[in-house]
Amino acid sequence: RRKNLFIQAPTGTGKTMAVLYPAVKAIGEGLGDKLFYLTAKTITRTVAEQAFSILEEKGLAFRSITLTAKEKICFCEETECNPVSCPYAKGHFDRVNDAVYDLIMNYNEITRDVIENQSEKYMVCPFEMSLDVSLWVDAVICDYNYAFDPHVYLKRFFSDTEKGDYVFLVDEAHNLVDRARQMYSASVYKEDFLSIKKLAGNYSRKLSRALDRCNRNLLEYKRVCDTEYMTLEDDGDFAVNMQRLGEELTSFMEKNADFEYMKELSEFFFVVNHYNSMRDELDENYIIYTEHTERGFMLRLFCVNPAGCLGRRIAMGRSAVFYSATLLPVNYYKELLGGSREEYAVYARSPFDAEKRLLAIGSDVTSRYTRRNEAEYIRIRKYILSVIHAKKGNYLVFFPSYKYMQDVAELFDEITDNVDIMMQHQNMNEEDKEEFLGRFEANENKDKSLLGFGVMGGVFSEGIDLKNDCLIGTIIVGTGLPSINTEGELLRRYYDEKENCGYEYAYMYPGMNKVLQAAGRVIRTVDDRGIIILLDDRFLKRQYLNIFPEEWRDYRVTDCNKIEQEILDFWLD
């Protein structure tokens, strides 16, 4: 029908296969040319590969490839794509056709490992080879960027002259709202124009004058921006001067290929080019504003509603399926991703036994800023201790911020006899993350409870799969509301003027999504049994209860004096 579909289905219900199988079947029946399985995280790409493997075991003849970002798959320490710096680039075009032919004749599932091995075997660039292979496969598993980002999208499939009967499967689609806003927004900083002038201004008068004109425009905006930020009706002369600057930068870089500061100049060129590209998209879905930031004075084209930009990309194909465990309320996602509330939608109810899950809301605790004090932290500690006293096991505790998490953690310093505590920290690398999750999977010390402290919206609050006794409970502190910031306030004003739902669109719905994702870590299979404790009295307000999933209607209200007995009763049943 060439329509889009939104699917909300709880974790563990088989969403991946539920969307993949009919898409593959449709392509087999001639209702599509190629499948794009689009993800936000590496781990969900692995899930897609596993699903294809299962179908292949059942007789599927379907070739797929997983694309990995150039920076991640490059074998060189510095990603410099030239024959002088990279041995894989030298002679690449002499050997790549044989490498591609070998791959497509001998592999149906072309994963990252397969690409890397083939690249080593033929001494070709793994990234460029994977792009060439993508033309010859039936399915491409890749990041959102390759379909939607205006500067990264696969031009061989999605250029202005290229369209096809493509089917887009958008996994964990709740992530696409913020990702798309970033893709289609653009920022420039006044200080960068002065920095580039110092590097290149003496080499070209034309380039120097173009930089000066843009700098003067920004200086005028800076003088009148006497508050933290200011919205603009239009960027006027600055837009014209940015176009001229883009032309001068292009000319200078073509004539001075060996320029000493070419790396800095190239990075600046991409910023200018992106701004000019997004300026062409400007419509009622954008807000232009200036702001004094720690980095400097900024002018930003902020894409408030990315549905139009996404829609133009989706129109390059046949249809899209957006699916996630957390697409509530669905009209919010329909409007921001699909552009119309008339799109198809499916709500899949949970097949899991509700009696195997306890959902309780603490009515005597809150994470409101006005109540962030030691007394409140002590009450939260009491809740956590009640949970682990009722049953030893592995638990995740999610907080609204690192600061909040640290403040509560300090109250546990003297409690070491029956609990081990691990804490998420900022800028964790892959090894750190694996070690954190490995402690849950190993479950080495059964005489102690294991508490993993993390932040809502962080790496451990979604996309991880801890089954059975690896995780028996999640405690969620707060409603997940984003901190008040410039763009949050701009979103609130925009949607208040449009539909009188600014607070919901800017804060409540994104916050509740984090809560639902964190809660979804607990029940992963039909055999799982566990508890979910929501610690904030705001969850009992009607606007929150209205967006609870259907399977949460059996919640119970508790307090820190009753919670331990209620949990004991649950585990004894």
Side-chain angles (χ1 to χ4, degrees):
R1 298 182 186 178
R2 297 186 179 272
K3 301 273 283 185
N4 297 326
L5 171 64
F6 290 77
I7 300 176
Q8 148 88 24
T11 297
T13 53
K15 289 188 298 298
T16 302
M17 194 63 79
V19 298
L20 183 59
Y21 174 71
V24 167
K25 187 170 182 288
I27 290 173
E29 295 174 354
L31 295 174
D33 292 334
K34 192 183 290 281
L35 172 65
F36 287 89
Y37 193 104
L38 305 169
T39 75
K41 295 182 174 68
T42 303
I43 192 168
T44 44
R45 272 159 255 173
T46 305
V47 172
E49 291 171 351
Q50 292 169 348
F52 274 114
S53 294
I54 292 169
L55 291 176
E56 187 176 13
E57 290 170 5
K58 300 297 182 182
L60 174 67
F62 207 77
R63 192 174 287 114
S64 66
I65 185 171
T66 301
L67 298 184
T68 305
K70 181 187 291 187
E71 292 75 16
K72 291 184 178 180
I73 204 171
C74 179
F75 294 126
C76 302
E77 289 187 16
E78 292 283 334
T79 307
E80 294 187 43
C81 299
N82 63 72
V84 176
S85 305
C86 176
Y88 298 91
K90 187 176 182 179
H92 167 88
F93 294 104
D94 298 330
R95 300 182 293 273
V96 70
N97 286 345
D98 290 337
V100 170
Y101 183 78
D102 185 7
L103 271 181
I104 61 178
M105 294 302 293
N106 292 292
Y107 293 90
N108 278 341
E109 296 176 54
I110 305 171
T111 63
R112 176 175 177 172
D113 288 342
V114 171
I115 289 287
E116 289 178 338
N117 291 337
Q118 190 78 344
S119 173
E120 291 276 20
K121 178 180 176 181
Y122 283 88
M123 284 300 290
V124 294
C125 171
F127 181 71
E128 291 298 328
M129 179 181 67
S130 65
L131 294 184
D132 289 343
V133 173
S134 69
L135 289 166
W136 300 93
V137 299
D138 304 295
V140 179
I141 304 168
C142 59
D143 189 88
Y144 296 156
N145 290 345
Y146 292 108
F148 300 130
D149 191 295
H151 297 294
V152 182
Y153 72 86
L154 300 172
K155 293 178 176 59
R156 60 195 70 203
F157 299 113
F158 308 124
S159 68
D160 292 338
T161 57
E162 292 291 334
K163 294 185 179 182
D165 273 353
Y166 307 135
V167 178
F168 301 106
L169 302 184
V170 186
D171 195 7
E172 300 290 358
H174 62 276
N175 287 305
L176 186 54
V177 175
D178 283 339
R179 282 282 296 274
R181 281 194 178 122
Q182 293 304 314
M183 289 176 195
Y184 300 117
S185 297
S187 303
V188 292
Y189 292 85
K190 179 183 178 301
E191 289 71 18
D192 291 348
F193 293 83
L194 296 175
S195 297
I196 295 299
K197 184 182 177 183
K198 288 180 181 178
L199 297 178
N202 293 332
Y203 294 86
S204 168
R205 286 187 177 181
K206 286 186 176 181
L207 179 56
S208 180
R209 285 197 294 267
L211 288 163
D212 277 338
R213 283 192 291 266
C214 292
N215 183 60
R216 282 197 298 270
N217 292 144
L218 291 172
L219 182 60
E220 290 172 10
Y221 290 134
K222 185 177 181 179
R223 284 171 177 162
V224 297
C225 185
D226 54 4
T227 56
E228 187 176 337
Y229 71 91
M230 182 180 72
T231 57
L232 306 174
E233 289 295 325
D234 195 89
D235 56 353
D237 292 342
F238 182 72
V240 176
N241 290 331
M242 282 288 281
Q243 290 289 344
R244 291 173 181 167
L245 176 59
E247 294 167 4
E248 292 300 334
L249 282 167
T250 301
S251 175
F252 180 85
M253 293 167 71
E254 288 174 350
K255 294 175 183 177
N256 299 274
D258 57 350
F259 180 58
E260 182 181 1
Y261 302 105
M262 184 58 76
K263 181 180 179 181
E264 291 84 352
L265 201 64
S266 296
E267 290 174 355
F268 182 71
F269 170 77
F270 286 123
V271 171
V272 172
N273 187 45
H274 181 60
Y275 185 95
N276 289 336
S277 298
M278 294 304 96
R279 183 62 177 73
D280 292 338
E281 301 282 351
L282 213 61
D283 59 15
E284 69 278 3
N285 294 310
Y286 277 81
I287 292 175
I288 308 173
Y289 73 94
T290 59
E291 183 177 21
H292 298 277
T293 73
E294 291 183 2
R295 178 178 167 184
F297 183 71
M298 178 183 71
L299 172 61
R300 182 161 172 80
L301 308 178
F302 178 36
C303 182
V304 180
N305 184 350
C309 296
L310 288 172
R312 287 188 280 278
R313 302 248 62 87
I314 291 169
M316 299 283 183
R318 183 184 184 94
S319 64
V321 181
F322 301 92
Y323 55 101
S324 169
T326 54
L327 280 186
L328 294 176
V330 72
N331 281 338
Y332 167 79
Y333 290 99
K334 282 184 178 182
E335 185 171 334
L336 294 180
L337 298 178
S340 169
R341 294 188 176 186
E342 303 306 313
E343 303 275 17
Y344 293 149
V346 171
Y347 184 98
R349 286 178 170 79
S350 174
F352 300 133
D353 185 353
E355 293 186 1
K356 290 185 176 182
R357 189 259 300 133
L358 170 69
L359 174 65
I361 301 174
S363 61
D364 57 346
V365 66
T366 183
S367 67
R368 289 181 179 88
Y369 283 98
T370 54
R371 293 258 301 272
R372 294 190 178 184
N373 53 50
E374 188 173 2
E376 204 69 24
Y377 302 151
I378 290 172
R379 189 176 287 111
I380 290 166
R381 183 187 69 165
K382 186 174 180 181
Y383 267 104
I384 296 170
L385 292 177
S386 295
V387 169
I388 62 178
H389 287 161
K391 183 176 176 65
K392 287 188 178 71
N394 296 346
Y395 299 90
L396 282 170
V397 187
F398 293 106
F399 297 90
S401 68
Y402 284 98
K403 174 67 167 61
Y404 201 116
M405 176 176 68
Q406 188 63 50
D407 289 338
V408 174
E410 288 176 358
L411 300 176
F412 283 81
D413 286 347
E414 299 176 4
I415 304 171
T416 56
D417 57 334
N418 65 342
V419 60
D420 287 331
I421 296 177
M422 295 187 302
M423 290 179 60
Q424 177 184 347
H425 59 82
Q426 292 171 303
N427 304 317
M428 293 178 81
N429 57 35
E430 289 301 320
E431 188 177 331
D432 295 332
K433 296 172 191 173
E434 288 175 8
E435 182 180 348
F436 187 100
L437 294 174
R439 289 283 303 278
F440 283 86
E441 292 163 350
N443 203 21
E444 296 168 349
N445 192 347
K446 294 190 177 181
D447 293 329
K448 287 188 174 185
S449 286
L450 178 63
L451 288 179
F453 282 9
V455 176
M456 263 187 284
V459 292
F460 302 118
S461 65
E462 61 177 276
I464 64 169
D465 202 19
L466 298 171
K467 298 175 183 177
N468 305 118
D469 291 340
C470 291
L471 183 70
I472 63 170
T474 292
I475 302 166
I476 300 169
V477 182
T479 56
L481 297 179
S483 59
I484 295 175
N485 56 46
T486 299
E487 295 199 345
E489 289 303 284
L490 290 172
L491 285 171
R492 182 181 59 79
R493 284 168 46 189
Y494 175 88
Y495 283 103
D496 268 344
E497 293 172 4
K498 188 176 181 182
E499 298 181 45
N500 197 31
C501 57
Y503 176 76
E504 290 83 354
Y505 271 51
Y507 296 105
M508 192 171 78
Y509 296 159
M512 194 61 191
N513 191 283
K514 294 178 187 177
V515 171
L516 292 168
Q517 281 290 329
R521 299 314 97 208
V522 181
I523 304 297
R524 311 293 294 181
T525 73
V526 292
D527 299 319
D528 286 1
R529 186 176 175 87
I531 63 171
I532 301 167
I533 312 297
L534 306 179
L535 297 184
D536 202 302
D537 58 7
R538 286 176 288 182
F539 286 117
L540 296 170
K541 291 190 172 184
R542 183 152 305 280
Q543 63 261 47
Y544 281 95
L545 294 175
N546 285 343
I547 53 175
F548 272 23
E550 288 289 331
E551 56 270 21
W552 278 22
R553 300 303 176 190
D554 62 346
Y555 71 89
R556 63 178 65 185
V557 181
T558 188
D559 59 47
C560 65
N561 295 316
K562 296 191 302 184
I563 186 66
E564 186 169 347
Q565 187 59 50
E566 290 180 332
I567 297 174
L568 279 169
D569 293 342
F570 168 76
W571 289 115
L572 289 171
D573 281 349

